[in-house]
Amino acid sequence: MSAVIDLAEISKDYGHFRALDRVTLQIQSGVTGLLGPNGAGKTTLIKVLLGLVKMTEGRGRLLDFELGRQSRDIRAHVGYMPEDDCFLHGMTGVESVQFVAQLSRLPAIEALRRAHEILDFCGLAQERYRLVETYSTGMRQKLRFAQAIVHDPPVLILDEPTSGLDPEERQVMLNRIRVLARDHGKAVLLCTHILPDVQSISNAVVILARGRVQVSQSLAELSRPAKPSLQVRLLGPSDQFVNRIRQRGIEVDTQSNGSLVLHGALEGMSEFVWRTASECGTGVRSMTPSRNSLEEIFVSAVRGELQNE
Amino acid sequence: MSDGFQPMTSSATHRAEELTSKKNDGQGVHHLGYRSWSGWLTPGWTRWLVISILGIRRSWQNKWLKRMLYVAWFPMIWLGAGIFFWEQAALYPDWRNIAMSMLDGLPHDATFERITEAFRKGDLASSRHTVWALLIKTLFRYSQPVMMVMVVGLIAPPLISQDLRSRAFLLYFSRPLTRGEYVIGKLGTLWAYLALISTIPALTLYIIGVLTSPNLSVIGSTWDIPIRIVAASVILMLPTSALALCFSSLTQESRNAGFAWFAVWILGWFTYAAVSTGEAFHTQQQFRRHHEVLAPPESAWTYLSLYHTLGRVQHWVFGFSTLQDAMTSMAILVVITVVSLSVLFYRISAPMRV
């Protein structure tokens, strides 16, 4: 499957400051989380993709369009939701969505119909008839999302789509993104600081730090620990259980929350755990294969401890 | 979608699915969920038109603007009456006598002498072009520039400053829109209203002239006037709208842009008045000393008045002065336009560079 976004050795300098340093990246369809600390180059990368700033060197493609040369075509096929609180002054919600649809060349009447349809999808009901400047942060966030998707673009670039939303609205927003990617085949580049958001809906993760790609991998691969291990929580005391396990030569770590991590081959391990727990007169509350948390991956990547594959 | 890494809680997922599903009845019976869109697209060049129409619609909500547009058409009444009177005088000698007595009270110059001579000889057809051009020039030279300053002062200040304040540039330029289209779209809003107070009234005046003349053969002798009207309109619109948008792009507060706009015209006008008065006083002193009449040389400071600089070029456009007389003024207008547009493009590109 060809990559939706394919970048090769992209660099961007602002004077003497190098914001992007030879970024090479392939992004497939589905949801890709773009992570990085502040100043990592995420926004610059988005601006380069949209052709809002010129890259200093490198080349790349988005869909079938060449970066830098076919910026208008790219912007016609991309829905961008900016992080900044930007709106069109003096317009109602529905008017502003209609307006941006018309800028994407939808005919006026069709743009209005489509604006209503998308505002329904985004959960802006009667508020759509209010002036945008009277909107709360959450409403503006939904409005920007509606503006990004109103022209039905195949690629979405969403910059902090869930910031400023309450927990319930955040889940709803993530689900909208999931629906677009899963049911409508959109390629979504999700740029956020909220790691659980990326964990919950992304297929792949790109971590930028100091303008360089530190990690670009599928989430499944990333979350797989170097050594297979099992996380076990018991119903009762664990001392006897731990001793029995260690007698079998299996390394065990006790974590601060009381759960145990059993290192080693997983084959036949679960049956052994059940049996041992039974012999020790205790029960197993939960037993799951251990995975690296995205937070750990992120911190390691930012510190430069992970190598991009 | 998720790899089961750390899935959403089941209740939250259920609620989220519920809120975004087709079955959700919170949004009314028309809520259809997300649907793909396909249909015909409007031509690419219409993007600037979308911006212009939005600007026109939003400006139209200002009741002061509507009042000004009505007022802007008032000069049409007496200028139209002037053309009507001239054409009637061409047909009826009695009207000529009345016109002669009215012209006596007016200050005379070469053009006036020519018109008076035409009245005396009864050969009004030979001066028709001059009279029509003079009346239409009066519209462009005196009344409409004043209306233009007020109308542009009402419309232009928020056009870009509001986009700066609300950071709407990201919404515009993340679309397939160039900076040029954005600027033309904004200029289009101003041009539409300026055409409504200059080009359209002037062309209407010309049509009134044709309709009130003895026959349609007058078109043969006045065919160039519509072209001059269009040229005069372009000269009125281009530098002024570029300057107004330049001011608007320099600030996030539209009142600052409005203040700068009016200050340029008012201070320029006062500078012209002060310098002209000084020169007239100096000339009078010389007349007293040497008993000779000297035409006062026009000071370069008078070019600070945009109103008079525009007027000099309009004077040339309607054939009442030579190109040489208008050259400096024309150069000033070109410089104003180029510098204003350069600043404008720089300012609207600036948010993208950050």
Side-chain angles (χ1 to χ4, degrees), chain B residues 100 103 111-123 127:
Chain B
M100 284 286 283
L103 287 174
T111 310
F112 248 81
E113 288 298 338
R114 210 160 57 237
I115 295 168
T116 315
E117 190 61 27
F119 269 119
R120 274 197 210 100
K121 289 180 180 170
D123 179 22
S127 290

Tab-separated table of all heavy atoms in Angstrom, chain B residues 100 103 111-123 127:
chain	number	residue	atom	x	y	z
B	100	MET	N	-27.058	81.650	-19.991
B	100	MET	CA	-26.059	82.729	-20.074
B	100	MET	C	-26.066	83.568	-18.791
B	100	MET	O	-25.008	83.899	-18.245
B	100	MET	CB	-26.345	83.632	-21.275
B	100	MET	CG	-25.961	83.030	-22.604
B	100	MET	SD	-24.188	83.019	-22.825
B	100	MET	CE	-23.937	84.742	-23.224
B	103	LEU	N	-24.429	81.648	-15.995
B	103	LEU	CA	-22.976	81.497	-16.123
B	103	LEU	C	-22.229	82.769	-15.759
B	103	LEU	O	-21.059	82.721	-15.357
B	103	LEU	CB	-22.609	81.087	-17.558
B	103	LEU	CG	-22.934	79.650	-17.962
B	103	LEU	CD1	-22.645	79.426	-19.433
B	103	LEU	CD2	-22.137	78.657	-17.117
B	111	THR	N	-11.945	76.962	-19.967
B	111	THR	CA	-13.044	76.049	-20.293
B	111	THR	C	-14.372	76.787	-20.265
B	111	THR	O	-15.215	76.614	-21.163
B	111	THR	CB	-13.077	74.879	-19.277
B	111	THR	OG1	-11.777	74.325	-19.175
B	111	THR	CG2	-14.068	73.824	-19.670
B	112	PHE	N	-14.530	77.594	-19.255
B	112	PHE	CA	-15.773	78.357	-19.129
B	112	PHE	C	-15.960	79.322	-20.286
B	112	PHE	O	-17.070	79.527	-20.782
B	112	PHE	CB	-15.776	79.115	-17.796
B	112	PHE	CG	-16.804	78.587	-16.850
B	112	PHE	CD1	-16.561	77.451	-16.096
B	112	PHE	CD2	-18.045	79.191	-16.752
B	112	PHE	CE1	-17.517	76.945	-15.246
B	112	PHE	CE2	-19.006	78.694	-15.900
B	112	PHE	CZ	-18.739	77.565	-15.143
B	113	GLU	N	-14.839	79.924	-20.690
B	113	GLU	CA	-14.895	80.849	-21.828
B	113	GLU	C	-15.391	80.123	-23.075
B	113	GLU	O	-16.197	80.648	-23.847
B	113	GLU	CB	-13.502	81.439	-22.093
B	113	GLU	CG	-13.037	82.454	-21.052
B	113	GLU	CD	-13.929	83.687	-20.983
B	113	GLU	OE1	-14.630	83.972	-21.963
B	113	GLU	OE2	-13.962	84.325	-19.910
B	114	ARG	N	-14.903	78.890	-23.243
B	114	ARG	CA	-15.281	78.098	-24.425
B	114	ARG	C	-16.781	77.794	-24.389
B	114	ARG	O	-17.475	77.886	-25.399
B	114	ARG	CB	-14.457	76.800	-24.430
B	114	ARG	CG	-14.195	76.293	-25.818
B	114	ARG	CD	-13.032	75.338	-25.961
B	114	ARG	NE	-13.111	74.140	-25.137
B	114	ARG	CZ	-12.177	73.794	-24.268
B	114	ARG	NH1	-11.111	74.546	-24.092
B	114	ARG	NH2	-12.293	72.681	-23.572
B	115	ILE	N	-17.263	77.468	-23.199
B	115	ILE	CA	-18.685	77.130	-23.067
B	115	ILE	C	-19.548	78.381	-23.298
B	115	ILE	O	-20.566	78.339	-24.015
B	115	ILE	CB	-18.954	76.525	-21.669
B	115	ILE	CG1	-18.222	75.176	-21.526
B	115	ILE	CG2	-20.446	76.330	-21.427
B	115	ILE	CD1	-18.181	74.634	-20.126
B	116	THR	N	-19.123	79.501	-22.733
B	116	THR	CA	-19.869	80.754	-22.892
B	116	THR	C	-19.928	81.161	-24.367
B	116	THR	O	-20.965	81.603	-24.877
B	116	THR	CB	-19.197	81.872	-22.067
B	116	THR	OG1	-18.882	81.362	-20.782
B	116	THR	CG2	-20.107	83.069	-21.900
B	117	GLU	N	-18.800	80.965	-25.024
B	117	GLU	CA	-18.719	81.294	-26.451
B	117	GLU	C	-19.705	80.436	-27.261
B	117	GLU	O	-20.369	80.919	-28.175
B	117	GLU	CB	-17.278	81.059	-26.927
B	117	GLU	CG	-16.960	81.562	-28.314
B	117	GLU	CD	-17.144	83.059	-28.465
B	117	GLU	OE1	-17.006	83.782	-27.442
B	117	GLU	OE2	-17.480	83.500	-29.575
B	118	ALA	N	-19.791	79.154	-26.868
B	118	ALA	CA	-20.719	78.243	-27.555
B	118	ALA	C	-22.157	78.709	-27.375
B	118	ALA	O	-22.973	78.653	-28.313
B	118	ALA	CB	-20.554	76.836	-26.999
B	119	PHE	N	-22.464	79.202	-26.180
B	119	PHE	CA	-23.813	79.731	-25.917
B	119	PHE	C	-24.092	80.937	-26.807
B	119	PHE	O	-25.162	81.065	-27.399
B	119	PHE	CB	-23.942	80.146	-24.440
B	119	PHE	CG	-24.442	79.031	-23.566
B	119	PHE	CD1	-23.687	78.543	-22.518
B	119	PHE	CD2	-25.694	78.472	-23.788
B	119	PHE	CE1	-24.151	77.523	-21.714
B	119	PHE	CE2	-26.167	77.451	-22.970
B	119	PHE	CZ	-25.388	76.969	-21.938
B	120	ARG	N	-23.065	81.826	-26.862
B	120	ARG	CA	-23.259	83.067	-27.642
B	120	ARG	C	-23.537	82.743	-29.107
B	120	ARG	O	-24.422	83.299	-29.724
B	120	ARG	CB	-22.001	83.945	-27.528
B	120	ARG	CG	-22.042	84.825	-26.284
B	120	ARG	CD	-21.029	85.955	-26.394
B	120	ARG	NE	-20.597	86.295	-25.046
B	120	ARG	CZ	-19.476	85.899	-24.497
B	120	ARG	NH1	-18.627	85.184	-25.189
B	120	ARG	NH2	-19.186	86.233	-23.266
B	121	LYS	N	-22.737	81.791	-29.623
B	121	LYS	CA	-22.872	81.451	-31.046
B	121	LYS	C	-24.057	80.527	-31.301
B	121	LYS	O	-24.456	80.325	-32.452
B	121	LYS	CB	-21.601	80.755	-31.529
B	121	LYS	CG	-20.408	81.692	-31.635
B	121	LYS	CD	-19.204	80.897	-32.131
B	121	LYS	CE	-17.997	81.798	-32.245
B	121	LYS	NZ	-16.781	81.029	-32.493
B	122	GLY	N	-24.554	79.941	-30.273
B	122	GLY	CA	-25.670	78.998	-30.442
B	122	GLY	C	-25.205	77.660	-30.966
B	122	GLY	O	-26.007	76.831	-31.388
B	123	ASP	N	-23.874	77.423	-30.938
B	123	ASP	CA	-23.321	76.152	-31.432
B	123	ASP	C	-22.978	75.253	-30.241
B	123	ASP	O	-21.812	75.082	-29.893
B	123	ASP	CB	-22.071	76.451	-32.271
B	123	ASP	CG	-21.439	75.174	-32.799
B	123	ASP	OD1	-22.157	74.151	-32.883
B	123	ASP	OD2	-20.230	75.177	-33.091
B	127	SER	N	-19.495	72.051	-28.115
B	127	SER	CA	-18.996	72.023	-26.729
B	127	SER	C	-19.660	70.944	-25.877
B	127	SER	O	-19.466	70.907	-24.661
B	127	SER	CB	-19.222	73.389	-26.065
B	127	SER	OG	-18.380	74.338	-26.631
